[in-house]
Protein backbone atom coordinates (compact mmCIF):
# COMPACT_ATOMS: atom_id res chain seq x y z
CA UNK A 1 0.00 0.00 0.00
CA UNK A 2 1.44 3.37 -1.03
CA UNK A 3 1.80 6.36 1.28
CA UNK A 4 -1.00 8.17 -0.56
CA UNK A 5 -3.26 5.14 -0.14
CA UNK A 6 -2.69 5.53 3.62
CA UNK A 7 -3.63 9.21 3.35
CA UNK A 8 -6.90 8.23 1.67
CA UNK A 9 -7.59 5.67 4.39
CA UNK A 10 -6.90 8.25 7.08
CA UNK A 11 -9.46 10.55 5.45
CA UNK A 12 -12.11 7.90 4.68
CA UNK A 13 -15.68 8.68 5.72
CA UNK A 14 -16.30 5.43 7.56
CA UNK A 15 -13.35 5.92 9.87
CA UNK A 16 -14.18 6.26 13.61
CA UNK A 17 -13.86 9.83 14.85
CA UNK A 18 -12.88 11.16 18.26
CA UNK A 19 -16.38 10.68 19.68
CA UNK A 20 -16.28 6.95 18.93
CA UNK A 21 -12.98 6.57 20.80
CA UNK A 22 -14.39 8.40 23.82
CA UNK A 23 -17.48 6.19 23.84
CA UNK A 24 -15.55 2.92 23.51
CA UNK A 25 -12.58 3.62 25.81
CA UNK A 26 -13.77 5.90 28.61
CA UNK A 27 -16.63 5.89 31.10
CA UNK A 28 -18.80 8.70 32.48
CA UNK A 29 -17.52 11.36 30.05
CA UNK A 30 -18.66 14.87 30.98
CA UNK A 31 -18.03 17.45 28.25
CA UNK A 32 -16.81 20.93 29.22
CA UNK A 33 -17.25 23.91 26.94
CA UNK A 34 -15.64 27.22 26.06
CA UNK A 35 -12.27 28.92 26.27
CA UNK A 36 -13.46 31.69 28.65
CA UNK A 37 -12.29 34.26 26.09
CA UNK A 38 -14.37 34.02 22.92
CA UNK A 39 -16.59 30.95 22.59
CA UNK A 40 -16.87 27.21 22.20
CA UNK A 41 -15.29 25.46 19.21
CA UNK A 42 -17.22 22.33 18.15
CA UNK A 43 -14.12 21.02 16.33
CA UNK A 44 -12.57 20.16 19.70
CA UNK A 45 -14.39 18.10 22.32
CA UNK A 46 -12.97 18.13 25.83
CA UNK A 47 -13.98 16.99 29.27
CA UNK A 48 -13.44 14.67 32.21
CA UNK A 49 -13.91 10.90 32.11
CA UNK A 50 -12.99 7.72 33.95
CA UNK A 51 -10.59 5.05 32.75
CA UNK A 52 -11.03 1.98 34.93
CA UNK A 53 -11.98 4.32 37.77
CA UNK A 54 -9.09 6.76 37.19
CA UNK A 55 -10.15 10.37 36.44
CA UNK A 56 -8.64 11.62 33.18
CA UNK A 57 -9.02 14.68 31.00
CA UNK A 58 -9.88 13.73 27.42
CA UNK A 59 -9.48 16.14 24.49
CA UNK A 60 -10.45 15.09 20.97
CA UNK A 61 -10.46 16.80 17.59
CA UNK A 62 -13.79 15.80 16.06
CA UNK A 63 -14.42 15.81 12.30
CA UNK A 64 -18.04 14.63 12.38
CA UNK A 65 -19.61 11.56 10.80
CA UNK A 66 -22.06 13.04 8.27
CA UNK A 67 -22.18 16.15 6.12
CA UNK A 68 -24.30 18.22 8.51
CA UNK A 69 -22.09 17.41 11.49
CA UNK A 70 -18.89 17.86 9.51
CA UNK A 71 -19.97 21.38 8.58
CA UNK A 72 -20.80 22.13 12.25
CA UNK A 73 -17.42 20.73 13.33
CA UNK A 74 -15.64 22.68 10.56
CA UNK A 75 -14.35 19.36 9.19
CA UNK A 76 -12.11 18.95 12.22
CA UNK A 77 -10.17 22.17 11.61
CA UNK A 78 -10.02 23.95 14.99
CA UNK A 79 -10.23 27.69 15.51
CA UNK A 80 -8.08 29.49 18.13
CA UNK A 81 -10.83 29.15 20.73
CA UNK A 82 -10.64 25.38 20.29
CA UNK A 83 -6.94 25.31 21.14
CA UNK A 84 -7.52 27.70 24.02
CA UNK A 85 -10.31 25.46 25.33
CA UNK A 86 -7.94 22.50 25.12
CA UNK A 87 -5.27 24.45 27.01
CA UNK A 88 -7.76 25.51 29.68
CA UNK A 89 -8.65 21.86 30.26
CA UNK A 90 -4.99 20.82 30.30
CA UNK A 91 -4.18 23.44 32.95
CA UNK A 92 -7.20 22.30 34.94
CA UNK A 93 -5.89 18.72 34.72
CA UNK A 94 -2.47 19.89 35.89
CA UNK A 95 -4.05 21.57 38.93
CA UNK A 96 -5.59 18.26 40.04
CA UNK A 97 -2.67 16.10 38.78
CA UNK A 98 -5.03 14.38 36.35
CA UNK A 99 -3.52 12.73 33.24
CA UNK A 100 -4.46 14.06 29.81
CA UNK A 101 -5.34 11.94 26.76
CA UNK A 102 -5.54 13.71 23.40
CA UNK A 103 -7.16 12.17 20.30
CA UNK A 104 -5.85 13.91 17.20
CA UNK A 105 -7.54 13.90 13.79
CA UNK A 106 -7.19 17.06 11.72
CA UNK A 107 -5.91 18.14 8.34
CA UNK A 108 -4.68 21.27 10.12
CA UNK A 109 -5.79 24.32 12.05
CA UNK A 110 -8.42 26.48 10.34
CA UNK A 111 -6.79 29.26 8.33
CA UNK A 112 -9.81 31.51 7.75
CA UNK A 113 -9.77 35.27 8.25
CA UNK A 114 -11.61 35.15 11.57
CA UNK A 115 -9.22 32.51 12.94
CA UNK A 116 -6.23 34.63 12.00
CA UNK A 117 -7.80 37.76 13.50
CA UNK A 118 -8.36 35.91 16.79
CA UNK A 119 -4.75 34.75 16.98
CA UNK A 120 -4.51 31.27 15.49
CA UNK A 121 -0.71 31.21 15.43
CA UNK A 122 -0.45 32.50 18.98
CA UNK A 123 -2.98 29.95 20.26
CA UNK A 124 -0.98 27.06 18.79
CA UNK A 125 2.31 28.51 20.07
CA UNK A 126 0.87 28.89 23.58
CA UNK A 127 -0.25 25.25 23.55
CA UNK A 128 3.23 24.10 22.52
CA UNK A 129 4.88 26.23 25.21
CA UNK A 130 2.48 25.14 27.95
CA UNK A 131 2.54 21.46 26.98
CA UNK A 132 6.32 21.44 27.12
CA UNK A 133 6.12 22.30 30.82
CA UNK A 134 2.77 20.79 31.83
CA UNK A 135 3.34 19.01 35.14
CA UNK A 136 0.95 16.13 34.52
CA UNK A 137 1.20 13.19 32.08
CA UNK A 138 0.03 13.57 28.48
CA UNK A 139 -0.54 10.79 25.96
CA UNK A 140 -1.60 11.76 22.44
CA UNK A 141 -3.08 9.31 19.94
CA UNK A 142 -3.20 10.07 16.21
CA UNK A 143 -6.42 8.41 15.06
CA UNK A 144 -6.69 9.78 11.51
CA UNK A 145 -4.89 12.74 9.98
CA UNK A 146 -2.20 14.54 11.93
CA UNK A 147 -1.70 17.73 9.98
CA UNK A 148 0.98 20.33 10.74
CA UNK A 149 0.88 22.60 13.81
CA UNK A 150 -2.84 22.01 14.13
CA UNK A 151 -2.06 18.45 15.22
CA UNK A 152 1.17 19.18 17.07
CA UNK A 153 -0.68 21.62 19.34
CA UNK A 154 -2.24 18.54 20.98
CA UNK A 155 0.68 16.14 20.47
CA UNK A 156 3.62 17.55 22.40
CA UNK A 157 3.23 14.64 24.79
CA UNK A 158 5.08 12.14 26.95
CA UNK A 159 4.03 9.40 24.54
CA UNK A 160 2.51 9.56 21.06
CA UNK A 161 0.65 6.60 19.59
CA UNK A 162 -0.75 6.25 16.09
CA UNK A 163 -3.35 4.08 14.40
CA UNK A 164 -1.99 1.74 11.74
CA UNK A 165 -3.59 3.64 8.84
CA UNK A 166 -3.26 7.14 10.28
CA UNK A 167 -0.75 9.72 8.98
CA UNK A 168 1.30 12.51 10.54
CA UNK A 169 3.03 15.23 8.55
CA UNK A 170 4.20 18.83 8.51
CA UNK A 171 1.95 19.60 5.52
CA UNK A 172 -0.65 17.82 3.40
CA UNK A 173 0.66 15.97 0.31
CA UNK A 174 -1.42 18.33 -1.85
CA UNK A 175 0.15 21.40 -0.25
CA UNK A 176 3.62 19.91 -0.46
CA UNK A 177 3.26 19.10 -4.19
CA UNK A 178 1.98 22.61 -4.90
CA UNK A 179 4.90 24.24 -3.07
CA UNK A 180 7.76 21.99 -4.19
CA UNK A 181 6.80 21.28 -7.78
CA UNK A 182 3.97 23.76 -8.50
CA UNK A 183 2.06 20.69 -9.66
CA UNK A 184 -0.78 19.22 -7.60
CA UNK A 185 -0.71 16.10 -9.77
CA UNK A 186 2.49 15.03 -8.03
CA UNK A 187 0.62 14.46 -4.79
CA UNK A 188 1.62 10.77 -4.65
CA UNK A 189 5.31 11.67 -4.98
CA UNK A 190 4.89 14.22 -2.19
CA UNK A 191 3.24 11.64 0.08
CA UNK A 192 6.21 9.30 -0.36
CA UNK A 193 8.75 12.07 0.32
CA UNK A 194 6.99 13.23 3.49
CA UNK A 195 7.48 9.88 5.29
CA UNK A 196 4.05 10.34 6.86
CA UNK A 197 2.78 6.80 7.47
CA UNK A 198 2.51 5.14 10.88
CA UNK A 199 5.30 2.78 9.90
CA UNK A 200 7.54 5.71 8.97
CA UNK A 201 6.72 7.41 12.28
CA UNK A 202 7.72 4.32 14.23
CA UNK A 203 10.95 3.90 12.25
CA UNK A 204 11.85 7.55 12.84
CA UNK A 205 11.11 7.28 16.56
CA UNK A 206 8.32 9.86 16.45
CA UNK A 207 5.75 7.47 18.00
CA UNK A 208 5.98 4.85 20.73
CA UNK A 209 3.23 2.52 19.53
CA UNK A 210 1.34 1.66 16.35
CA UNK A 211 -2.21 0.40 16.99
CA UNK A 212 -3.36 -2.34 14.55
CA UNK A 213 -6.77 -1.58 13.10
CA UNK A 214 -7.94 -4.65 11.21
CA UNK A 215 -10.61 -4.95 13.91
CA UNK A 216 -11.64 -1.62 15.41
CA UNK A 217 -13.17 -3.19 18.52
CA UNK A 218 -9.79 -4.80 19.17
CA UNK A 219 -8.10 -1.44 18.49
CA UNK A 220 -10.28 0.28 21.10
CA UNK A 221 -9.44 -2.46 23.60
CA UNK A 222 -5.73 -2.23 22.77
CA UNK A 223 -5.73 1.51 23.46
CA UNK A 224 -7.76 1.12 26.65
CA UNK A 225 -5.50 -1.64 27.98
CA UNK A 226 -2.30 0.29 27.21
CA UNK A 227 -3.66 3.48 28.77
CA UNK A 228 -4.60 1.51 31.88
CA UNK A 229 -0.93 0.47 32.18
CA UNK A 230 0.91 3.60 31.03
CA UNK A 231 -1.08 6.32 32.78
CA UNK A 232 -0.61 4.97 36.34
CA UNK A 233 3.12 4.59 35.63
CA UNK A 234 3.36 8.16 34.38
CA UNK A 235 1.22 9.66 37.14
CA UNK A 236 3.54 8.22 39.80
CA UNK A 237 6.62 9.70 38.08
CA UNK A 238 7.85 12.87 39.84
CA UNK A 239 6.95 15.98 37.86
CA UNK A 240 10.56 17.10 37.35
CA UNK A 241 11.48 13.68 35.96
CA UNK A 242 8.40 13.68 33.73
CA UNK A 243 9.39 17.05 32.25
CA UNK A 244 13.01 15.95 31.80
CA UNK A 245 11.92 12.87 29.85
CA UNK A 246 9.48 14.88 27.74
CA UNK A 247 12.22 17.39 26.92
CA UNK A 248 14.65 14.62 25.99
CA UNK A 249 12.02 12.90 23.85
CA UNK A 250 11.72 15.89 21.56
CA UNK A 251 15.43 16.78 21.67
CA UNK A 252 16.17 13.33 20.20
CA UNK A 253 14.33 14.30 17.01
Amino acid sequence: MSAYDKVMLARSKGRPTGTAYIEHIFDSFVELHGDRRFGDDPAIIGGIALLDGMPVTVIAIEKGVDTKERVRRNFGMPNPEGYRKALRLMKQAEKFRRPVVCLVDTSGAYCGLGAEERGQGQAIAENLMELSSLRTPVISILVGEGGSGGALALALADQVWILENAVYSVISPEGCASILWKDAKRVKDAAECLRLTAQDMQELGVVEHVVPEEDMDAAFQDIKARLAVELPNLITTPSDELLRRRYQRFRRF
Side-chain angles (χ1 to χ4, degrees):
M1 188 181 294
S2 71
Y4 194 64
D5 289 335
K6 289 291 183 76
V7 173
M8 291 294 98
L9 276 175
R11 295 172 177 172
S12 60
K13 287 185 178 179
R15 192 173 185 85
T17 61
T19 301
Y21 285 85
I22 293 173
E23 290 174 352
H24 283 86
I25 295 170
F26 303 97
D27 301 315
S28 306
F29 177 71
V30 177
E31 186 175 359
L32 302 175
H33 297 272
D35 67 342
R36 303 296 188 266
R37 298 190 195 182
F38 179 80
D40 187 50
D41 184 0
I44 291 185
I45 297 172
I48 303 169
L50 295 176
L51 177 75
D52 290 343
M54 174 189 288
V56 296
T57 291
V58 184
I59 300 166
I61 301 178
E62 174 60 46
K63 283 185 171 181
V65 295
D66 56 36
T67 301
K68 184 177 180 180
E69 190 183 3
R70 285 184 174 227
V71 170
R72 185 171 78 84
R73 304 275 187 191
N74 201 30
F75 298 87
M77 294 182 290
N79 278 282
E81 51 271 22
Y83 291 113
R84 291 180 179 127
K85 172 171 67 173
L87 180 57
R88 179 174 76 83
L89 297 181
M90 290 174 191
K91 296 299 286 185
Q92 181 193 77
E94 179 184 50
K95 179 179 179 179
F96 295 100
R97 186 66 172 166
R98 194 164 56 225
V100 177
V101 178
C102 296
L103 301 162
V104 180
D105 184 12
T106 182
S107 59
Y110 188 54
C111 57
L113 179 61
E116 297 298 337
E117 287 175 340
R118 296 194 299 277
Q120 184 70 285
Q122 182 184 16
I124 292 172
E126 285 179 348
N127 275 32
L128 296 175
M129 180 182 71
E130 294 289 350
L131 271 170
S132 68
S133 59
L134 196 74
R135 301 180 75 84
T136 198
V138 183
I139 292 180
S140 294
I141 307 168
L142 298 154
V143 300
E145 283 187 278
S148 193
L152 188 60
L154 295 182
L156 204 160
D158 299 295
Q159 293 187 23
V160 178
W161 305 348
I162 188 170
L163 271 287
E164 184 180 19
N165 294 319
V167 295
Y168 194 23
S169 64
V170 69
I171 191 173
S172 70
E174 293 83 0
C176 180
S178 297
I179 291 170
L180 287 186
W181 297 298
K182 305 294 188 292
D183 183 1
K185 293 180 181 178
R186 296 193 64 179
V187 62
K188 292 184 178 181
D189 294 331
E192 293 292 341
C193 291
L194 284 168
R195 304 278 313 272
L196 45 63
T197 69
Q199 294 70 31
D200 290 328
M201 293 297 103
Q202 190 171 45
E203 183 180 333
L204 292 167
V206 175
V207 302
E208 278 75 24
H209 176 54
V210 176
V211 181
E213 53 176 291
E214 292 85 357
D215 179 341
M216 283 310 302
D217 286 334
F220 293 138
Q221 289 305 310
D222 180 4
I223 293 170
K224 184 172 184 176
R226 286 180 180 272
L227 287 173
V229 172
E230 295 296 340
L231 289 179
N233 288 339
L234 290 170
I235 204 69
T236 56
T237 303
S239 296
D240 290 343
E241 176 63 15
L242 191 74
L243 295 183
R244 188 190 69 80
R245 291 179 187 176
R246 192 182 303 158
Y247 174 79
Q248 290 298 332
R249 182 185 188 278
F250 284 89
R251 286 294 296 168
R252 282 196 298 272
F253 296 165

